[in-house]
Amino acid sequence: MLATLVRLHKGHHHKAPPMPKFFDKGLTLDHFLLKGQVISLYRQIVRCTKGMDKNDAKELIHWARADFERHRKERDIETIKSLISAGKHQMHSLQSSVTLAHTAKR
């Protein structure tokens, strides 16, 4: 096995893999990690609409999407963190409202 590894190592020049396109835009690892949090928050908001009236859910998702799109070009880390925090607060308020509405229907 060692001989195979040595032969494979000699036969190939190690070239670093190309950088992901995400980083070509001058974004950092922090930006990359925050992007994951933003996507997660959006998905949570969409999940909150489950069980709502379809028209209300569609309107809420449209509103949320527009809000996310409005801040798409934001690059300041602290501003992005603040937006995520505010979004989470709004999402929790939405969850509470939806839960209360479901409880009232029963």
Side-chain angles (χ1 to χ4, degrees), residues 18-37:
M19 286 293 283
K21 290 180 182 180
F22 182 86
F23 297 108
D24 288 345
K25 299 175 185 172
L27 301 176
T28 65
L29 180 59
D30 284 338
H31 288 101
F32 181 76
L33 296 173
L34 287 173
K35 181 180 178 181
Q37 290 181 29

Side-chain angles (χ1 to χ4, degrees), residues 8 27 31 39 70 77 85:
L8 289 173
L27 301 176
H31 288 101
I39 293 169
R70 187 171 61 247
I77 297 288
S85 179

Side-chain angles (χ1 to χ4, degrees), residues 70-88:
R70 187 171 61 247
H71 299 288
R72 175 185 281 273
K73 304 283 185 196
E74 185 60 57
R75 297 293 182 251
D76 181 65
I77 297 288
E78 293 306 315
T79 302
I80 296 169
K81 287 180 180 179
S82 176
L83 289 166
I84 291 171
S85 179
K88 285 181 179 180

Side-chain angles (χ1 to χ4, degrees), residues 44-61 94-95 97-99 101-102 105:
Q44 289 174 352
I45 291 169
V46 170
R47 277 188 225 110
C48 283
T49 65
K50 301 293 184 210
M52 290 177 68
D53 173 71
K54 286 188 179 188
N55 289 331
D56 291 342
K58 189 174 182 178
E59 184 179 329
L60 184 67
I61 291 170
L94 173 64
Q95 279 179 324
S97 298
V98 170
T99 302
H102 283 286
K105 285 183 181 179

